[in-house]
Amino acid sequence: MNIYTQVCGLIIVSMLLFFYKRQPTMGLVSERRFIETLYAILACVILDIASCYFIVYGYRYNPMITTIVGKFYLQSLQIVSFFAFKYTVSDIVETKGSQAEILLDRFIKFCFVGGVLLTLYLPLNFYYDGIKLYSYGPAAILTYVLASIYILSVALSAFLLRHHIKRQKINALLIWMVIWSLAAIIQFIRPQYLIVSFAACIGALIMYFELENPQGAISRKTGHFSSAVIHDYFDFLYQNKKTFSLMMISFKTVGDAVNENKLLRQTIEKLSEFLFSIDTAKVFDTAEGYFLLVFDSTDFMESTKFKIATYFQSIEDNPDIADAITLLNPFYTIIPNCNVAEDADELQMLLTNFIPSSHNMTNKNEVVVNSETMAELRKHKLVEKMVVSAMEEDRIEMHYQPIYNISTGLFTGAEALVRIRLKDGTLVYPNDFIPVMEETGRIIPLSDGIYRKVLSFMKSYRVEKLGIEKIEINLSVKQGESPVFVSRFTELLEHYAVSPLLINMEITETSSLISKENILNNMKKLEEKGISFSLDDFGSGTSNLNYIIDMPVSIVKLDKHLTDEYFKNNKARAIVKTVIDMAHSMDIKIIAEGIETKEALETMKTLGVDYIQGYYFTKPLPEHEFLKFLQSNNLN
């Protein structure tokens, strides 16, 4: 009796089960289906060996025993092929399947139950001549037919569900089915080669190494679940309508980059070791320097947060890590109910928007995300989509608001202001989309498009001949920090043949400067080329005199709120007068924004303001209306 292949298969599948059971898994449907298939293959191999034994030594036992074992083996073949089909459609048919796919699933289940029961009823015969050994008869034929149906169903399901199933899984499954089919054909033609159950073991081995090796889901750096499987796990939870909560632990950085990188590694290593003690959550290492903890219960999340906070306190006195904890403060993003997001994609988008480095949450150590937060984020995404669509379809427009020069009585400057024209003709104003674009990082391509439009306008109409000395364009913080911004903007000036002396860049006061040194260096390089700078919206919330001191600004623009307040309270009057005197003492010009009345204009003149901008003269104008305005007021 030659059962070497069965024994080899038994060793293979036993080792797979041994290693698989020793590794942590996420509990996905595909994982459960795979382990079920492994156990079915194990049973199939054992029954194959047992049936061979009873066929050879059947004279020692009641013939009924041989028949029963043989039928159990045939049933195990049906079970393995059926489980292969169930594994193929795992995570799909139960939650996403179309009506046709669900009907196919039900048909296969019906065939399976009917086949298993019918196998017990149908007769089965055996043949053994000392070399060849096989079973035959209606029960064996039924098994071949049903196994063929299941194998074809695997191929058909892979085709129908090709948009839902990973290409890697489809390829591995098809290779398995081909190997198994070839083995069945060979054994049918050459019964002495008992390789069908062994081929099932080879198929399981292929699936293990290609898809189901738990080590593939583990981060080699930390030993926790890796970022590669986060989306799959979220997708599984949403598809199966699980209620879960989530905590993201990230770090707020405030030191210099070199030291931070070293300290961040130390902090992550320490925290990673501690997180192995958390048995109430699945822990994911995102590879970007933060961890995700997924809980079945909010109660577990709260207790875990307390444990982590206690842990950080306990190591503050450790000289190897204390500095890291001081500079890299743990930040918690907490989602008590992840049903605030509709699916895995939206949840990951939500998490991305609450990493401290991108949101500058320096005054907090946690944020709790609820349905209102999610609604606001969705709104932001719609705005982002609107702007991207406008950029792609060239619906970005530039309007220009003239700036009046008190000393000459002419309009010698203008501020370029962006507008988005919706498909229905409605205009969307900067306050409705610029903050969102700043947050998402899309402000850079938007600004590039704005610069091109402004420079093209200046080149086409030679605005300097109409009395314009400066066109003001906004410089976003993200643009200003970019190491390639100076070279890129210089190339644009050369391309459109616009003199740098005609450009004034406005920078808005902000507390979010991440790399002040970079933006200062870029401003100085541009100043050397002839570009001037103004500090926009001075007096609007984050006023900081250090901006005037540190940055090479030649103009300060008083915010509309501050000029309005000048006429309402004494403190504002004192501030405006002081700012004007201080600026003039440093040879810095003053523009008063938001001037809407004759009284306000005359008052600003009396105070010594150099330029006036506001609705008193005109609202921001489209290009051709702006040109007409200049011709009427500067050339007549």
Side-chain angles (χ1 to χ4, degrees):
M1 180 176 63
N2 185 352
I3 57 170
Y4 295 130
T5 55
Q6 289 95 324
V7 172
C8 289
L10 184 63
I11 294 171
I12 289 172
V13 76
S14 298
M15 290 179 62
L16 290 179
L17 280 167
F18 173 76
F19 287 115
Y20 195 89
K21 297 296 287 184
R22 284 170 56 88
Q23 302 297 330
T25 58
M26 293 183 293
L28 303 180
V29 174
S30 61
E31 292 172 343
R32 297 202 302 270
R33 294 284 182 258
F34 181 70
I35 198 70
E36 289 171 357
T37 305
L38 283 183
Y39 279 120
I41 292 173
L42 178 66
C44 180
V45 175
I46 293 173
L47 287 169
D48 192 7
I49 295 173
S51 66
C52 290
Y53 173 82
F54 281 104
I55 291 173
V56 173
Y57 300 104
Y59 60 88
R60 300 179 182 177
Y61 304 96
N62 187 317
M64 183 61 70
I65 296 177
T66 303
T67 301
I68 291 174
V69 172
K71 289 188 175 185
F72 280 172
Y73 167 61
L74 294 179
Q75 288 176 323
S76 71
L77 286 174
Q78 295 174 29
I79 291 171
V80 170
S81 54
F82 174 73
F83 279 9
F85 166 73
K86 293 299 292 180
Y87 172 71
T88 304
V89 299
S90 61
D91 298 325
I92 300 295
V93 170
E94 295 174 15
T95 53
K96 286 185 178 178
S98 67
Q99 190 63 33
E101 292 158 0
I102 293 173
L103 288 174
L104 174 63
D105 179 58
R106 290 175 180 173
F107 171 73
I108 297 300
K109 287 179 179 177
F110 175 79
C111 290
F112 170 67
V113 174
V116 169
L117 296 176
L118 195 56
T119 302
L120 290 175
Y121 173 77
L122 292 175
L124 181 65
N125 303 309
F126 305 99
Y127 176 85
Y128 177 62
D129 62 3
I131 298 176
K132 296 180 181 178
L133 182 154
Y134 59 89
S135 59
Y136 64 96
I141 293 173
L142 176 65
T143 298
Y144 268 98
V145 171
L146 290 176
S148 299
I149 291 175
Y150 300 144
I151 290 172
L152 289 174
S153 297
V154 168
L156 180 60
S157 298
F159 173 76
L160 290 175
L161 301 172
R162 63 190 181 281
H163 299 301
H164 302 301
I165 301 177
K166 294 179 181 177
R167 169 55 60 180
Q168 185 182 11
K169 182 174 182 178
I170 291 175
N171 292 340
L173 280 166
L174 292 179
I175 291 172
W176 178 12
M177 293 301 103
V178 168
I179 291 174
W180 208 13
S181 298
L182 290 174
I185 293 170
I186 292 171
Q187 184 170 320
F188 182 80
I189 297 172
R190 300 276 185 169
Q192 65 269 33
Y193 298 138
L194 306 176
I195 58 175
V196 169
S197 61
F198 177 73
C201 297
I202 295 300
L205 190 65
I206 292 170
M207 299 306 298
Y208 180 84
F209 283 114
E210 281 293 306
L211 291 170
E212 297 298 341
N213 182 357
Q215 280 297 317
I218 302 299
S219 167
R220 294 187 179 183
K221 183 172 66 175
T222 63
H224 297 292
F225 290 117
S226 73
S227 57
V229 295
I230 291 174
H231 188 278
D232 287 344
Y233 186 62
F234 287 164
D235 205 32
F236 161 73
L237 293 174
Y238 279 109
Q239 286 182 32
N240 289 275
K241 296 179 172 49
K242 302 284 187 180
T243 299
F244 65 103
S245 55
L246 185 146
M247 181 197 312
M248 179 171 70
I249 307 173
S250 48
F251 297 93
K252 296 182 294 186
T253 56
V254 294
D256 66 87
V258 175
N259 286 334
E260 277 189 359
N261 286 337
K262 180 180 178 181
L263 296 173
L264 181 59
R265 286 195 300 272
Q266 289 178 318
T267 307
I268 290 173
E269 288 171 5
K270 291 286 185 181
L271 179 58
S272 176
E273 293 173 9
F274 172 75
L275 290 177
F276 280 109
S277 66
I278 304 298
D279 57 3
T280 55
K282 282 187 168 55
V283 181
F284 293 85
D285 165 24
T286 67
E288 285 87 18
Y290 55 94
F291 294 93
L292 289 179
L293 281 68
V294 183
F295 303 84
D296 293 332
S297 166
T298 305
D299 295 335
F300 290 144
M301 181 174 63
E302 291 298 326
S303 61
T304 300
K305 182 188 169 189
F306 177 77
K307 289 180 183 178
I308 294 171
T310 304
Y311 167 73
F312 277 119
Q313 282 183 332
S314 70
I315 60 174
E316 283 184 351
D317 296 329
N318 185 331
D320 295 329
I321 197 68
D323 288 340
I325 302 304
T326 301
L327 289 175
L328 301 164
N329 305 300
F331 182 89
Y332 305 95
T333 302
I334 296 172
I335 309 179
N337 186 345
C338 289
N339 287 331
V340 296
E342 293 181 353
D343 53 32
D345 291 333
E346 194 170 61
L347 180 60
Q348 287 198 288
M349 175 193 74
L350 176 63
L351 292 171
T352 301
N353 278 265
F354 285 96
I355 299 172
S357 58
S358 65
H359 270 258
N360 191 42
M361 299 176 188
T362 52
N363 296 323
K364 305 177 183 178
N365 73 337
E366 79 171 45
V367 60
V368 178
V369 179
N370 52 30
S371 56
E372 288 77 15
T373 312
M374 192 70 238
E376 186 67 22
L377 181 59
R378 288 189 184 115
K379 180 181 176 182
H380 280 199
K381 288 302 173 183
L382 287 175
V383 170
E384 183 182 358
K385 183 178 179 180
M386 174 197 70
V387 177
V388 171
S389 175
M391 292 167 61
E392 293 173 347
E393 298 170 8
D394 194 26
R395 288 186 282 105
I396 302 292
E397 296 182 9
M398 298 308 302
H399 289 204
Y400 297 85
Q401 186 169 37
I403 297 175
Y404 181 72
N405 187 327
I406 291 177
S407 64
T408 65
L410 299 173
F411 294 91
T412 58
E415 181 179 0
L417 297 163
V418 64
R419 305 283 189 265
I420 289 179
R421 178 79 62 177
L422 299 181
K423 293 181 179 180
D424 63 1
T426 307
L427 285 178
V428 182
Y429 294 88
N431 287 344
D432 294 325
F433 61 87
I434 290 294
V436 175
M437 302 309 281
E438 286 274 8
E439 287 183 11
T440 61
R442 291 188 182 270
I443 191 65
I444 292 180
L446 176 61
S447 296
D448 284 345
I450 290 170
Y451 297 157
R452 290 179 182 277
K453 285 185 175 291
V454 172
L455 294 176
S456 176
F457 170 71
M458 295 174 69
K459 176 185 178 181
S460 299
Y461 297 100
R462 311 303 300 178
V463 292
E464 65 271 22
K465 293 185 178 181
L466 297 175
I468 292 295
E469 298 173 358
K470 295 281 185 182
I471 292 288
E472 298 186 347
I473 57 177
N474 285 285
L475 174 63
S476 73
V477 171
K478 290 185 181 295
Q479 281 275 38
E481 291 173 338
S482 171
V484 298
F485 174 65
V486 173
S487 60
R488 190 166 64 237
F489 190 77
T490 302
E491 289 175 3
L492 287 176
L493 288 174
E494 294 173 354
H495 176 75
Y496 290 101
V498 173
S499 169
L501 297 174
L502 290 171
I503 300 296
N504 179 79
M505 288 188 168
E506 294 183 357
I507 183 165
T508 303
E509 300 171 83
T510 176
S511 59
S512 65
L513 281 178
I514 299 171
S515 179
K516 192 173 182 180
E517 184 179 350
N518 288 347
I519 199 169
L520 284 173
N521 288 337
N522 283 343
M523 290 175 71
K524 289 175 182 177
K525 290 176 184 178
L526 290 170
E527 185 186 35
E528 291 171 1
K529 296 180 182 296
I531 293 172
S532 61
F533 292 90
S534 59
L535 182 59
D536 195 19
D537 297 336
F538 186 86
S540 60
T542 57
S543 298
N544 189 339
L545 293 178
N546 287 332
Y547 278 77
I548 299 176
I549 297 170
D550 297 338
M551 293 185 172
V553 295
S554 57
I555 298 172
V556 170
K557 303 186 75 172
L558 299 179
D559 182 67
K560 182 181 185 304
H561 174 74
L562 187 59
T563 56
D564 286 345
E565 287 298 310
Y566 177 87
F567 298 96
K568 297 177 182 179
N569 67 69
N570 293 328
K571 290 182 179 179
R573 290 192 188 95
I575 291 172
V576 170
K577 290 177 181 178
T578 301
V579 170
I580 293 172
D581 291 341
M582 177 191 66
H584 285 163
S585 69
M586 294 186 290
D587 199 26
I588 292 175
K589 303 292 185 181
I590 294 289
I591 297 178
E593 291 185 296
I595 301 304
E596 298 180 356
T597 65
K598 179 72 172 178
E599 177 191 1
L601 172 64
E602 296 302 326
T603 301
M604 290 299 123
K605 283 183 179 179
T606 303
L607 291 172
V609 166
D610 302 284
Y611 301 96
I612 300 293
Q613 180 179 349
Y615 284 4
Y616 175 75
F617 298 110
T618 181
K619 295 180 179 181
L621 301 169
E623 290 180 354
H624 289 91
E625 291 184 30
F626 172 63
L627 293 173
K628 290 179 181 178
F629 181 90
L630 292 179
Q631 290 169 350
S632 299
N633 291 276
N634 282 1
L635 301 183
N636 294 331

